[in-house]
Amino acid sequence: MEHAWTQSEETVLGTIEIAPEVVELIASLAAVEIEGIRAMSGSFVGDLTEKIGRKNLRKGVRVHVNEEGVAVDVSVIVHYGTSIPDVARELQYSVQEAIEAMTSLPVKHVRVFVTGVDVPK
């Protein structure tokens, strides 16, 4: 699989490159640690893929990179009864901090899309 690299940095020993899939994985892992997030929300095809046994750890995350920095879109399902604005803000800060700490890439914005609410049975 060919990667469109997000960052390329020359050092004395060679080049350091970070694939966008790595940034998506960092964002996804940061998101699922937030209290109130039930799950990441993926596409119909992605959900079918998971049902046949292939786990997608980057599910629900899209990363766009340009000269200005990283733009992240995160789609989530929240637990019933949680404050959606509070959870979404916490998610934004957590994703931003994780990406910037691990990659040194500046995060332009983190857009949160709440696509569902998990209602207890």
Side-chain angles (χ1 to χ4, degrees), residues 45-64:
V45 172
D47 291 343
L48 282 178
T49 302
E50 277 196 6
K51 287 183 195 276
I52 62 170
R54 292 188 61 213
K55 186 103 171 124
N56 181 2
L57 296 176
R58 297 177 289 129
K59 176 181 177 179
V61 178
R62 294 270 187 258
V63 172
H64 310 281

PDB file of all heavy atoms in Angstrom, residues 45-64:
ATOM      1  N   VAL A  45     -19.648  -0.019   4.910  1.00  0.00           N
ATOM      2  CA  VAL A  45     -18.677  -1.020   4.454  1.00  0.00           C
ATOM      3  C   VAL A  45     -17.715  -1.379   5.583  1.00  0.00           C
ATOM      4  O   VAL A  45     -17.398  -2.545   5.799  1.00  0.00           O
ATOM      5  CB  VAL A  45     -17.898  -0.505   3.210  1.00  0.00           C
ATOM      6  CG1 VAL A  45     -16.768  -1.447   2.844  1.00  0.00           C
ATOM      7  CG2 VAL A  45     -18.844  -0.315   2.043  1.00  0.00           C
ATOM      8  N   GLY A  46     -17.267  -0.383   6.324  1.00  0.00           N
ATOM      9  CA  GLY A  46     -16.369  -0.641   7.447  1.00  0.00           C
ATOM     10  C   GLY A  46     -17.020  -1.496   8.517  1.00  0.00           C
ATOM     11  O   GLY A  46     -16.395  -2.384   9.098  1.00  0.00           O
ATOM     12  N   ASP A  47     -18.294  -1.237   8.786  1.00  0.00           N
ATOM     13  CA  ASP A  47     -19.017  -2.039   9.770  1.00  0.00           C
ATOM     14  C   ASP A  47     -19.158  -3.482   9.308  1.00  0.00           C
ATOM     15  O   ASP A  47     -19.034  -4.419  10.089  1.00  0.00           O
ATOM     16  CB  ASP A  47     -20.397  -1.432  10.050  1.00  0.00           C
ATOM     17  CG  ASP A  47     -20.311  -0.107  10.810  1.00  0.00           C
ATOM     18  OD1 ASP A  47     -19.242   0.173  11.389  1.00  0.00           O
ATOM     19  OD2 ASP A  47     -21.305   0.639  10.810  1.00  0.00           O
ATOM     20  N   LEU A  48     -19.416  -3.680   8.015  1.00  0.00           N
ATOM     21  CA  LEU A  48     -19.506  -5.040   7.476  1.00  0.00           C
ATOM     22  C   LEU A  48     -18.166  -5.764   7.579  1.00  0.00           C
ATOM     23  O   LEU A  48     -18.115  -6.945   7.916  1.00  0.00           O
ATOM     24  CB  LEU A  48     -19.951  -5.014   6.013  1.00  0.00           C
ATOM     25  CG  LEU A  48     -21.432  -4.783   5.758  1.00  0.00           C
ATOM     26  CD1 LEU A  48     -21.697  -4.728   4.261  1.00  0.00           C
ATOM     27  CD2 LEU A  48     -22.284  -5.861   6.391  1.00  0.00           C
ATOM     28  N   THR A  49     -17.096  -5.040   7.312  1.00  0.00           N
ATOM     29  CA  THR A  49     -15.760  -5.629   7.406  1.00  0.00           C
ATOM     30  C   THR A  49     -15.488  -6.120   8.817  1.00  0.00           C
ATOM     31  O   THR A  49     -14.951  -7.200   9.020  1.00  0.00           O
ATOM     32  CB  THR A  49     -14.698  -4.588   6.988  1.00  0.00           C
ATOM     33  OG1 THR A  49     -14.974  -4.158   5.664  1.00  0.00           O
ATOM     34  CG2 THR A  49     -13.301  -5.161   7.064  1.00  0.00           C
ATOM     35  N   GLU A  50     -15.892  -5.333   9.819  1.00  0.00           N
ATOM     36  CA  GLU A  50     -15.696  -5.744  11.211  1.00  0.00           C
ATOM     37  C   GLU A  50     -16.514  -6.978  11.544  1.00  0.00           C
ATOM     38  O   GLU A  50     -16.075  -7.837  12.289  1.00  0.00           O
ATOM     39  CB  GLU A  50     -16.050  -4.605  12.169  1.00  0.00           C
ATOM     40  CG  GLU A  50     -14.918  -3.644  12.341  1.00  0.00           C
ATOM     41  CD  GLU A  50     -15.098  -2.743  13.548  1.00  0.00           C
ATOM     42  OE1 GLU A  50     -16.052  -2.935  14.333  1.00  0.00           O
ATOM     43  OE2 GLU A  50     -14.271  -1.845  13.703  1.00  0.00           O
ATOM     44  N   LYS A  51     -17.710  -7.076  10.989  1.00  0.00           N
ATOM     45  CA  LYS A  51     -18.561  -8.230  11.280  1.00  0.00           C
ATOM     46  C   LYS A  51     -17.968  -9.529  10.750  1.00  0.00           C
ATOM     47  O   LYS A  51     -18.236 -10.594  11.287  1.00  0.00           O
ATOM     48  CB  LYS A  51     -19.968  -8.016  10.713  1.00  0.00           C
ATOM     49  CG  LYS A  51     -20.760  -6.994  11.508  1.00  0.00           C
ATOM     50  CD  LYS A  51     -22.153  -6.866  10.950  1.00  0.00           C
ATOM     51  CE  LYS A  51     -22.841  -5.647  11.460  1.00  0.00           C
ATOM     52  NZ  LYS A  51     -23.487  -5.686  12.683  1.00  0.00           N
ATOM     53  N   ILE A  52     -17.149  -9.443   9.715  1.00  0.00           N
ATOM     54  CA  ILE A  52     -16.525 -10.670   9.204  1.00  0.00           C
ATOM     55  C   ILE A  52     -15.152 -10.906   9.843  1.00  0.00           C
ATOM     56  O   ILE A  52     -14.426 -11.793   9.432  1.00  0.00           O
ATOM     57  CB  ILE A  52     -16.413 -10.676   7.660  1.00  0.00           C
ATOM     58  CG1 ILE A  52     -15.546  -9.535   7.164  1.00  0.00           C
ATOM     59  CG2 ILE A  52     -17.767 -10.683   7.021  1.00  0.00           C
ATOM     60  CD1 ILE A  52     -15.206  -9.635   5.689  1.00  0.00           C
ATOM     61  N   GLY A  53     -14.821 -10.113  10.839  1.00  0.00           N
ATOM     62  CA  GLY A  53     -13.641 -10.411  11.636  1.00  0.00           C
ATOM     63  C   GLY A  53     -12.416  -9.546  11.447  1.00  0.00           C
ATOM     64  O   GLY A  53     -11.404  -9.787  12.080  1.00  0.00           O
ATOM     65  N   ARG A  54     -12.479  -8.531  10.620  1.00  0.00           N
ATOM     66  CA  ARG A  54     -11.322  -7.652  10.441  1.00  0.00           C
ATOM     67  C   ARG A  54     -11.547  -6.361  11.205  1.00  0.00           C
ATOM     68  O   ARG A  54     -12.351  -5.537  10.820  1.00  0.00           O
ATOM     69  CB  ARG A  54     -11.100  -7.361   8.958  1.00  0.00           C
ATOM     70  CG  ARG A  54     -10.665  -8.610   8.202  1.00  0.00           C
ATOM     71  CD  ARG A  54     -10.258  -8.324   6.784  1.00  0.00           C
ATOM     72  NE  ARG A  54      -9.132  -7.400   6.756  1.00  0.00           N
ATOM     73  CZ  ARG A  54      -8.958  -6.504   5.797  1.00  0.00           C
ATOM     74  NH1 ARG A  54      -9.819  -6.376   4.824  1.00  0.00           N
ATOM     75  NH2 ARG A  54      -7.904  -5.723   5.809  1.00  0.00           N
ATOM     76  N   LYS A  55     -10.834  -6.178  12.303  1.00  0.00           N
ATOM     77  CA  LYS A  55     -10.978  -4.997  13.148  1.00  0.00           C
ATOM     78  C   LYS A  55     -10.260  -3.811  12.507  1.00  0.00           C
ATOM     79  O   LYS A  55      -9.112  -3.924  12.098  1.00  0.00           O
ATOM     80  CB  LYS A  55     -10.365  -5.276  14.526  1.00  0.00           C
ATOM     81  CG  LYS A  55     -10.569  -4.182  15.517  1.00  0.00           C
ATOM     82  CD  LYS A  55     -11.638  -4.559  16.478  1.00  0.00           C
ATOM     83  CE  LYS A  55     -11.693  -3.546  17.596  1.00  0.00           C
ATOM     84  NZ  LYS A  55     -12.986  -2.963  17.737  1.00  0.00           N
ATOM     85  N   ASN A  56     -10.948  -2.690  12.425  1.00  0.00           N
ATOM     86  CA  ASN A  56     -10.366  -1.470  11.877  1.00  0.00           C
ATOM     87  C   ASN A  56     -10.153  -0.493  13.023  1.00  0.00           C
ATOM     88  O   ASN A  56     -11.105   0.137  13.481  1.00  0.00           O
ATOM     89  CB  ASN A  56     -11.283  -0.869  10.807  1.00  0.00           C
ATOM     90  CG  ASN A  56     -10.701   0.383  10.195  1.00  0.00           C
ATOM     91  OD1 ASN A  56      -9.595   0.811  10.530  1.00  0.00           O
ATOM     92  ND2 ASN A  56     -11.449   0.993   9.299  1.00  0.00           N
ATOM     93  N   LEU A  57      -8.916  -0.352  13.472  1.00  0.00           N
ATOM     94  CA  LEU A  57      -8.619   0.520  14.606  1.00  0.00           C
ATOM     95  C   LEU A  57      -8.715   2.000  14.248  1.00  0.00           C
ATOM     96  O   LEU A  57      -8.737   2.839  15.133  1.00  0.00           O
ATOM     97  CB  LEU A  57      -7.229   0.203  15.165  1.00  0.00           C
ATOM     98  CG  LEU A  57      -7.081  -1.193  15.744  1.00  0.00           C
ATOM     99  CD1 LEU A  57      -5.640  -1.430  16.184  1.00  0.00           C
ATOM    100  CD2 LEU A  57      -8.035  -1.413  16.903  1.00  0.00           C
ATOM    101  N   ARG A  58      -8.789   2.323  12.956  1.00  0.00           N
ATOM    102  CA  ARG A  58      -8.898   3.719  12.530  1.00  0.00           C
ATOM    103  C   ARG A  58     -10.335   4.093  12.189  1.00  0.00           C
ATOM    104  O   ARG A  58     -10.594   5.172  11.660  1.00  0.00           O
ATOM    105  CB  ARG A  58      -7.988   3.969  11.327  1.00  0.00           C
ATOM    106  CG  ARG A  58      -6.521   3.772  11.662  1.00  0.00           C
ATOM    107  CD  ARG A  58      -5.626   3.950  10.456  1.00  0.00           C
ATOM    108  NE  ARG A  58      -5.790   2.840   9.540  1.00  0.00           N
ATOM    109  CZ  ARG A  58      -6.034   2.969   8.240  1.00  0.00           C
ATOM    110  NH1 ARG A  58      -6.156   4.145   7.694  1.00  0.00           N
ATOM    111  NH2 ARG A  58      -6.162   1.906   7.468  1.00  0.00           N
ATOM    112  N   LYS A  59     -11.260   3.233  12.518  1.00  0.00           N
ATOM    113  CA  LYS A  59     -12.678   3.430  12.204  1.00  0.00           C
ATOM    114  C   LYS A  59     -13.174   4.778  12.730  1.00  0.00           C
ATOM    115  O   LYS A  59     -12.898   5.149  13.864  1.00  0.00           O
ATOM    116  CB  LYS A  59     -13.474   2.289  12.851  1.00  0.00           C
ATOM    117  CG  LYS A  59     -14.962   2.394  12.708  1.00  0.00           C
ATOM    118  CD  LYS A  59     -15.621   1.224  13.407  1.00  0.00           C
ATOM    119  CE  LYS A  59     -17.119   1.317  13.369  1.00  0.00           C
ATOM    120  NZ  LYS A  59     -17.730   0.166  14.023  1.00  0.00           N
ATOM    121  N   GLY A  60     -13.909   5.494  11.894  1.00  0.00           N
ATOM    122  CA  GLY A  60     -14.525   6.745  12.315  1.00  0.00           C
ATOM    123  C   GLY A  60     -13.614   7.948  12.309  1.00  0.00           C
ATOM    124  O   GLY A  60     -13.996   9.011  12.791  1.00  0.00           O
ATOM    125  N   VAL A  61     -12.407   7.822  11.774  1.00  0.00           N
ATOM    126  CA  VAL A  61     -11.463   8.942  11.775  1.00  0.00           C
ATOM    127  C   VAL A  61     -10.989   9.214  10.350  1.00  0.00           C
ATOM    128  O   VAL A  61     -10.621   8.298   9.624  1.00  0.00           O
ATOM    129  CB  VAL A  61     -10.228   8.652  12.665  1.00  0.00           C
ATOM    130  CG1 VAL A  61      -9.247   9.813  12.619  1.00  0.00           C
ATOM    131  CG2 VAL A  61     -10.648   8.372  14.094  1.00  0.00           C
ATOM    132  N   ARG A  62     -11.009  10.471   9.969  1.00  0.00           N
ATOM    133  CA  ARG A  62     -10.452  10.926   8.692  1.00  0.00           C
ATOM    134  C   ARG A  62      -9.452  12.036   9.002  1.00  0.00           C
ATOM    135  O   ARG A  62      -9.741  12.927   9.803  1.00  0.00           O
ATOM    136  CB  ARG A  62     -11.540  11.502   7.784  1.00  0.00           C
ATOM    137  CG  ARG A  62     -12.535  10.504   7.325  1.00  0.00           C
ATOM    138  CD  ARG A  62     -12.077   9.879   6.008  1.00  0.00           C
ATOM    139  NE  ARG A  62     -13.113   9.035   5.462  1.00  0.00           N
ATOM    140  CZ  ARG A  62     -13.106   7.720   5.548  1.00  0.00           C
ATOM    141  NH1 ARG A  62     -12.137   7.116   6.158  1.00  0.00           N
ATOM    142  NH2 ARG A  62     -14.064   7.008   5.028  1.00  0.00           N
ATOM    143  N   VAL A  63      -8.299  11.969   8.362  1.00  0.00           N
ATOM    144  CA  VAL A  63      -7.257  12.968   8.563  1.00  0.00           C
ATOM    145  C   VAL A  63      -6.938  13.617   7.223  1.00  0.00           C
ATOM    146  O   VAL A  63      -6.779  12.926   6.220  1.00  0.00           O
ATOM    147  CB  VAL A  63      -5.980  12.306   9.142  1.00  0.00           C
ATOM    148  CG1 VAL A  63      -4.831  13.268   9.170  1.00  0.00           C
ATOM    149  CG2 VAL A  63      -6.248  11.779  10.543  1.00  0.00           C
ATOM    150  N   HIS A  64      -6.861  14.934   7.233  1.00  0.00           N
ATOM    151  CA  HIS A  64      -6.491  15.702   6.041  1.00  0.00           C
ATOM    152  C   HIS A  64      -5.275  16.543   6.421  1.00  0.00           C
ATOM    153  O   HIS A  64      -5.312  17.253   7.425  1.00  0.00           O
ATOM    154  CB  HIS A  64      -7.639  16.609   5.605  1.00  0.00           C
ATOM    155  CG  HIS A  64      -8.947  15.887   5.505  1.00  0.00           C
ATOM    156  ND1 HIS A  64      -9.284  15.103   4.432  1.00  0.00           N
ATOM    157  CD2 HIS A  64      -9.993  15.805   6.368  1.00  0.00           C
ATOM    158  CE1 HIS A  64     -10.482  14.574   4.628  1.00  0.00           C
ATOM    159  NE2 HIS A  64     -10.923  14.986   5.798  1.00  0.00           N
TER     160      HIS A  64
END
